[in-house]
Each structure stands twice: as C-alpha cells, then as structure tokens.
Amino acid sequence: MNRRLGVPFFLLSRNLRSGNKWTLSLTIFMMAVAFINLIFIASLFNGIITGANRQIVDTTTSDLFLTPNTGSDTFTDVPSLLTAVRATSGVRNAAAEMVVPGNLQFQNVKGSWSIFAITPSEMAGSINLSTTVASGTYLADDDADGILLGRQVAGGDGVELNTFSLKGAKVGDQVTLTSGAMSKVLTVRGIINSHFINADQRAFISYAALQSFMPKLASQATMILTRTATGSDVSAVQAHLVGANLNVQVHPWNDAAGLMKTVTDSFVSVNVLLSFVAVLIAAVTIFIVVYIDIVNRRQQIGILRAIGVSPFIIRSQYVLQTILYAVSGVIVGLALFYAAIVPYFQAHPFTLPIGQITLAPDAADFSARIVSIIIVAIVAGLIPVTFITRMKLLKAI
Amino acid sequence: MPSKPIIAVTKISKTYHLGDVRVPALRDVSVAVQPKDFLVITGRNGSGKSTLLRQIGLLDRPDQGTITLLGKEVTALKERQRTQIRLQHIGYIFQEYALIAELTAVENVMLPALMQEPARVCRPRAIAILQKVGLGKKLKNLPRQLSGGEQQKVAIARALINDPEVIFADEPTANLDTVAARDVLELFAQLNREGHTIVMITHEPDEQTYANRILTLSDGKVV
Ligand SMILES: Nc1ncnc2c1ncn2[C@@H]1O[C@H](COP(=O)(O)OP(=O)(O)OP(=O)(O)O)[C@@H](O)[C@H]1O
Ligand SMILES: [Mg+2]
C-alpha cells in the first residue's frame, strides 16, 4: 500500500522533467501573483489600521487618558494628581492639558480651533508634539508669548484645509488669541505637521502663557495623557490606575478612536471580501492549469489506468503537482513581497488624511492565508482529475 | 480432457450507442480459453474483435453475459478490484503501443511493478526483460527515440513485468514491418512455451500458424 505512494512522485518527477519549463514558471508566477494579491490587501489594511491607531495614540490620546469624574469639567489639583499617576506602576509619563476657550486671528482671518495649554517639556513625553515640528521650534515651558500651530490651522498654499485656516500664518508671525473680552498677542514659534489632519487642527500654548492671560484656568486640566512603560500591558496599567482610587475616569486610547473605529471595522469586511476574491483567482488559475494539463494527458491517464495504475495514484500525482504549484507560488510570492514590495512602500508610503501609511505584514495572518491557498489549490486541482479518473476507461484511452 | 479454463466467456453482448444509433458489436459470444492456449482471434474489420478483447481484458464491461477469469467472475467486480486484476494478472498490448511518452524504455517497463515493489527491485527486473526482448542497449531511450518495432517490444516487456497469467494483444504487429513482426511473434511463441496464455488478434493468415486455436468473429458472432 505505502509502496505505491512512490509512484505519484515518480510520475510527477518525470512529468516535470519533460514538461515545458516556461509553462511551469508561468504557472508558479501566476500563483505568486495570486498570493501577493491575497497578502497585499491584508497588509495594506493592516497598515492603515495600525497606522491610524498609532497616530491617535501618538498625536492625541497617548496610551491612556484620564478625565474628571462626572460632576466636574476639569481637574483642579493637577500637581498632586500628576504625582500620583506617575507613581503608578507601569506609567512612564503623565502630562496635563487644558482646553483654552477662544479663537485665533491672523491679519484679517479669524477662526476657532481646539487650543490647549500644556507644559511643553512634560507633554513631549506623552505625545509626539516636539518631534513633529515641521518648521520653527517647540515651545519652552516658560514661553508666555508663543504658540504652536497645527499645519491645518496655519494654512498656506498646498495645505489640505487651507480654506478653513489662518491662510498662511508662518513662524514669527503674530496671531491674536481672543477669549470673551480678553485677548493676547502671541508669536508663532512652530508649525506642527503630524500628517494626521485631525491632530493638525489644534494649537498649543504653554501653561505659562495661560497664566498670564487667564490665571484662573492655569491651575486646571481637562485631561491627563499617560504613556505606559515600553513593553507593559496597557490594560494592566489601566487597572492599576483605576485601583489607585484617584477619583478619575481612566480611558484606553481607543475610547477616543470613535470615527476611525467605524472606518477600520469596515476595512475588516472589505478585507474578507477581497481575500475571498484573491483565493478564488488562485483556485481558478490552478483549475485551468490542471484542466489543460489533464486534457493534454487524457490518453496517457487512460493508459495508466489500463495497465493497472489506480485512480488514487493518478489523483495523488496531481495533488502533489498542485501542492508544488501552490507552495512554490507562495515562496516566490513571499520573496517578492518582502524583497521588493514592502521596501518599495516603505520608501514611497501612501499619504492618507491619517498620516503616511506603509504595509504592515502580519505573519500570523499570513500562515492562515498560506494554508487556505494551498487547500483551495488542492481542491481546484482535484476537480478535473477526479472527473477524468471517474470517466469510463474506454473513453479516456 | 481439457483442464479448467483460465478464461470462460459466456454469452456476452455489447452494443455501442452513437447518439440514437445502436451498434451491436458482440452478440451472445461464448468462448473458453485453456491455460497455455495461444488463441488467435480473427475476422473482418468491424467484426468485434477488439471489443471482445477489451471485455475479457477488463477494459470495458459487457451489457450481458459473464466472464470468468482465473476462476473469478469479473464483470460485476468493483472498478478498484478490476484495476488490481489488470495490474497483477493481465498483460495488455495495444496496436499503437500505448507507451508513456515521458518515461524512458526502462521506466515504462518498470511502472506496473512500481505499484507493488520498490524501484531497486523493479529496475533490475525491467532491465532483464528488456534484454530478453533485445532492447538491452536502448534502456534510456524515450518512446519517440525508438522505432515502431522497438516500441512494441517495450510495450510487451511492460506487459510481462508483473508476470501475468494472460497476455492480450490487439493486432500487435499491424504497424510493424515483416522482420519486426516476426520478432514479436517469435517472442509470443516463446512466452507461450514458457507457460503464458496468449490471446492475440490478427488479420494476417500466416500469423495464425502460431496459434493452437483460432476464433473467427463475423458481425459480432462466433463463426
Ligand atoms: N467506442 C465505440 N463507439 C461506437 N462504436 C464502436 C466503438 N468501438 C467500436 N465500435 C463499433 O463496434 C463494431 C466492432 O468494432 P471493433 O473495434 O470491435 O472491430 P474490430 O473487429 O476490432 O475491427 P478492426 O479489424 O477494424 O480493428 C464496429 O462496427 C465499430 O464501428
Ligand atoms: Mg480492432
């Protein structure tokens, strides 16, 4: 019984020896393309989803953010709260931000954006403000006359939301912050460009500036942005913070993902659909290749059956053949993908409103896709072979 | 007193259907073949010779009647069992050689044996048989690198590899010149002397001299 299992290998090896090398290469290439198709979309969506999540965390919420308990709009004992949060296990950094009510005016253009007061040196440890300064400088803690503008607030030619911006405020320009009857002239120190359009619609001043302008607000905070230590489990840190009885609400970053979450959720279903199409392409490719091969060898298969080679052995030969096509296709596909496609998109990322997106391959997800493409290939190959081995012997000869 | 027949065909009929047209190819054919017989089947074109051989060679099933091969009723057997009988007990030789184009002479010959034994056993046996039929120097030739007569000898060697009790040959010399044809027939005569039962179809009257029995068909009936 198991002796006969050598026969399919024997037949396949002879089949390949005399077969057309170009046809073989082309078939494997087609399988590689189908497989790349299968993993490219998944990696792209994964890149978009992880990219979007990363941007939300890095620009806006940090890993965890704290809000006041219901009943109050702001934290009032900010220094002691920060001390307590920083002392919690797994917390690397905590920084306060305070919403500043008001609007901005540059020359004769006026508008309202989210304006936050921060302690610049502290905030730099929670979100990436200091590293996304595209022109000018970051704020100093004691800078009472400076302001950082998001790229979409400053505006200018080529800026996505120029129409709704200050239309070209530059580093060194003076803008006026007005809140009720109070107003203060500030100098633009730097322009922030995080490539995340939502995040770049904000402006930042220091608590020192707020102190000089609206001292009552300068002792308050609307949110504490908390960075967890590298490698720590964010939900464990969240639990620690909740357990610390700080009388605050502790939110994971994705509580703020809102709109992005509905977008990423719909990517998941599009991904499933496109993956299905890619698998179908692979299946049809294999079916056609095996079908043509079998039509060409119909007489030979008849001869094999006539001399006593069982249909099982003949089917096994073709199963081996489709496994060879599929596995080679996967290997070639993976090689092309990692050697050419991933590096290419790393060098030329997609620019989306959420930022610069590259492919994010997910090895665990790939293994499921590899298994599915091989299984589908085997089934697609078995259909024509089974058909011909079920056929009456005389018709096959 | 004849011994128990190795093949007993009892009243088999076979009708082909070509669309609505019925072509009766065999009608109530009965024949018994004794062990070590050299039976020649003859008859005009279209008389049903190939059809008869295919029924007893287990390549097809009759519409009616029974066939007993080596003491076993075979018409009702499952395809899997019939495949096994073809492999182990029957050597079938076709007019057009029916070699596998991708396999060398020795690989073609060893293939049926590979279904039962490892290559290191099959290969020497295939080589020995090819030497016996005079092809010891063409072991690695592909079918297209062999003459018609040589290809037919490879096909005969393949039919012999599993040492079958019965050898069926459908006009094995039809595509060969007289010298090659005589070679092949001498080979059959030798195999017959060595104890193989042979059933061969031929048109040539002088080939009938090799037979110890002759069956003539006409219009699907035994004459
Ligand atoms: N596959 C088939 N389908 C339909 N009719 C067939 C088929 N094979 C044979 N026949 C018909 O059955 C009859 C017997 O054919 P068969 O091939 O057995 O004759 P034969 O005696 O071998 O002839 P030949 O000497 O030409 O080889 C013929 O009328 C033929 O046309
Ligand atoms: Mg015939």
Side-chain angles (χ1 to χ4, degrees):
Chain A
M1 170 70 199
N2 25 1
R3 281 225 201 301
R4 305 179 327 175
L5 290 180
V7 178
F9 285 96
F10 172 75
L11 290 173
L12 176 59
S13 69
R14 298 310 185 267
N15 194 325
L16 292 174
R17 182 180 66 188
S18 63
N20 186 321
K21 305 289 179 290
W22 280 106
T23 313
L24 178 68
S25 314
L26 218 63
T27 305
I28 291 173
F29 182 71
M30 272 302 290
M31 287 305 292
V33 170
F35 179 66
I36 288 172
N37 192 14
L38 187 61
I39 58 176
F40 179 83
I41 301 287
S43 301
L44 176 60
F45 285 173
N46 197 32
I48 293 172
I49 292 168
T50 53
N53 292 345
R54 191 102 303 268
Q55 285 283 54
I56 291 169
V57 170
D58 285 348
T59 64
T60 314
T61 63
S62 201
D63 294 318
L64 295 164
F65 60 97
L66 316 187
T67 54
N69 250 337
T70 35
S72 51
D73 294 337
T74 61
F75 297 114
T76 46
D77 50 349
V78 178
S80 60
L81 181 58
L82 284 176
T83 309
V85 172
R86 284 171 189 151
T88 307
S89 124
V91 172
R92 193 179 71 197
N93 188 71
E97 68 178 26
M98 177 65 199
V99 172
V100 180
N103 46 47
L104 293 173
Q105 181 170 4
F106 170 57
Q107 292 163 354
N108 52 0
V109 189
K110 207 173 180 178
S112 64
W113 289 272
S114 299
I115 304 164
F116 296 95
I118 57 174
T119 305
S121 64
E122 291 178 359
M123 193 49 88
S126 280
I127 56 177
N128 63 2
L129 276 184
S130 66
T131 56
T132 51
V133 176
S135 61
T137 57
Y138 189 52
L139 287 178
D141 287 357
D142 60 357
D143 185 346
D145 312 300
I147 186 166
L148 280 182
L149 297 181
R151 169 181 158 89
Q152 307 300 335
V153 179
D157 283 343
V159 172
E160 292 76 6
L161 301 180
N162 186 34
T163 324
F164 312 103
S165 71
L166 295 175
K167 299 215 170 79
K170 293 194 179 49
V171 173
D173 285 342
Q174 309 233 300
V175 298
T176 310
L177 168 58
T178 309
S179 181
M182 321 272 277
S183 71
K184 182 175 172 78
V185 175
L186 296 161
T187 306
V188 177
R189 303 282 187 226
I191 310 282
I192 303 281
N193 184 7
S194 68
H195 301 280
F196 181 17
I197 288 190
N198 282 27
D200 291 339
Q201 286 178 272
R202 299 171 302 171
F204 296 88
I205 59 174
S206 68
Y207 265 109
L210 188 60
Q211 176 72 39
S212 72
F213 175 46
M214 293 186 282
K216 257 210 315 229
L217 297 185
S219 62
Q220 301 175 32
T222 42
M223 232 185 241
I224 308 288
L225 307 188
T226 308
R227 235 340 152 187
T228 58
T230 1
S232 63
D233 175 9
V234 175
S235 49
V237 179
Q238 181 184 1
H240 288 145
L241 283 169
V242 170
N245 275 324
L246 301 172
N247 192 30
V248 297
Q249 293 189 35
V250 185
H251 307 270
W253 63 268
N254 43 333
D255 275 10
L259 182 66
M260 274 321 296
K261 200 157 150 38
T262 64
V263 173
T264 54
D265 282 352
S266 51
F267 275 145
V268 172
S269 42
V270 174
N271 190 6
V272 169
L273 188 74
L274 291 180
S275 301
F276 179 76
V277 172
V279 169
L280 200 67
I281 291 171
V284 171
T285 305
I286 285 281
F287 179 88
I288 292 173
V289 167
V290 173
Y291 180 80
I292 291 174
D293 195 79
I294 279 173
V295 167
N296 286 331
R297 290 173 199 273
R298 175 184 162 136
Q299 194 181 5
Q300 168 175 329
I301 291 172
I303 294 168
L304 289 175
R305 288 173 65 192
I307 64 173
V309 176
S310 63
F312 173 76
I313 296 297
I314 296 166
R315 282 198 296 272
S316 304
Q317 181 200 334
Y318 281 91
V319 166
L320 280 178
Q321 191 170 334
T322 51
I323 290 175
L324 176 85
Y325 290 149
V327 170
S328 311
V330 165
I331 291 171
V332 172
L334 281 176
L336 280 176
F337 187 72
Y338 279 105
I341 296 174
V342 172
Y344 176 84
F345 284 105
Q346 233 135 37
H348 307 92
F350 299 99
T351 302
L352 299 186
I354 51 159
Q356 308 248 290
I357 294 303
T358 64
L359 302 178
D362 174 356
D365 176 55
F366 281 10
S367 44
R369 284 162 194 268
I370 291 170
V371 170
S372 64
I373 204 166
I374 291 174
I375 289 173
V376 166
I378 291 173
V379 173
L382 266 177
I383 294 168
V385 194
T386 306
F387 179 72
I388 202 153
T389 52
R390 288 262 168 92
M391 197 177 203
K392 276 182 89 180
L393 183 47
L394 268 193
K395 284 193 185 150
I397 295 184
Chain B
M1 189 59 211
S3 53
K4 208 164 163 253
I6 192 166
I7 303 166
V9 176
T10 314
K11 292 189 148 206
I12 62 166
S13 298
K14 180 77 187 177
T15 300
Y16 294 109
H17 298 268
L18 287 171
D20 289 342
V21 185
R22 299 173 72 248
V23 185
L26 294 175
R27 312 172 206 227
D28 278 345
V29 172
S30 294
V31 56
V33 182
Q34 305 302 326
K36 300 184 188 172
D37 266 357
F38 192 138
L39 173 69
V40 160
I41 303 175
T42 184
R44 316 191 69 133
N45 289 131
S47 57
K49 305 181 295 294
S50 296
T51 304
L52 175 60
L53 202 67
R54 286 195 293 254
Q55 312 306 308
I56 45 182
L58 307 198
L59 297 179
D60 199 5
R61 293 180 201 252
D63 302 329
Q64 274 161 31
T66 59
I67 297 170
T68 307
L69 192 71
L70 296 158
K72 204 183 226 173
E73 210 293 307
V74 290
T75 48
L77 288 180
K78 292 227 164 66
E79 198 48 48
R80 175 196 291 257
Q81 292 160 300
R82 286 164 61 93
T83 302
Q84 201 59 24
I85 294 174
R86 284 202 298 274
L87 180 69
Q88 293 176 327
H89 304 291
I90 294 177
Y92 206 106
I93 296 153
F94 301 84
Q95 184 177 334
E96 288 87 13
Y97 328 130
L99 297 176
I100 305 293
E102 295 153 356
L103 302 185
T104 63
V106 71
E107 287 166 347
N108 262 290
V109 174
M110 67 194 275
L111 180 58
L114 268 183
M115 290 292 291
Q116 330 199 65
E117 276 165 307
R120 72 187 137 77
V121 177
C122 305
R123 186 176 290 274
R125 207 156 88 209
I127 293 172
I129 298 175
L130 280 168
Q131 280 163 345
K132 181 176 168 184
V133 301
L135 285 177
K137 294 209 169 74
K138 310 266 168 114
L139 300 176
K140 297 208 164 143
N141 289 41
L142 292 168
R144 66 175 133 76
Q145 298 162 333
L146 294 168
S147 74
E150 288 168 336
Q151 288 188 57
Q152 194 56 295
K153 284 179 180 174
V154 174
I156 294 169
R158 180 179 66 188
L160 293 175
I161 186 89
N162 282 341
D163 200 19
E165 285 86 344
V166 202
I167 294 167
F168 297 106
D170 191 345
E171 302 196 44
T173 60
N175 293 333
L176 307 183
D177 66 31
T178 25
V179 179
R182 184 153 1 93
D183 260 16
V184 166
L185 289 166
E186 285 301 334
L187 198 55
F188 280 138
Q190 187 191 338
L191 293 170
N192 184 232
R193 283 194 296 275
E194 289 170 8
H196 293 277
T197 305
I198 294 179
V199 180
M200 181 178 89
I201 298 175
T202 183
H203 271 113
E204 302 294 325
D206 38 325
E207 293 190 356
Q208 298 171 11
T209 56
Y210 288 89
N212 70 330
R213 288 183 56 204
I214 295 172
L215 181 79
T216 307
L217 288 182
S218 174
D219 254 348
K221 285 184 162 162
V222 181
V223 183

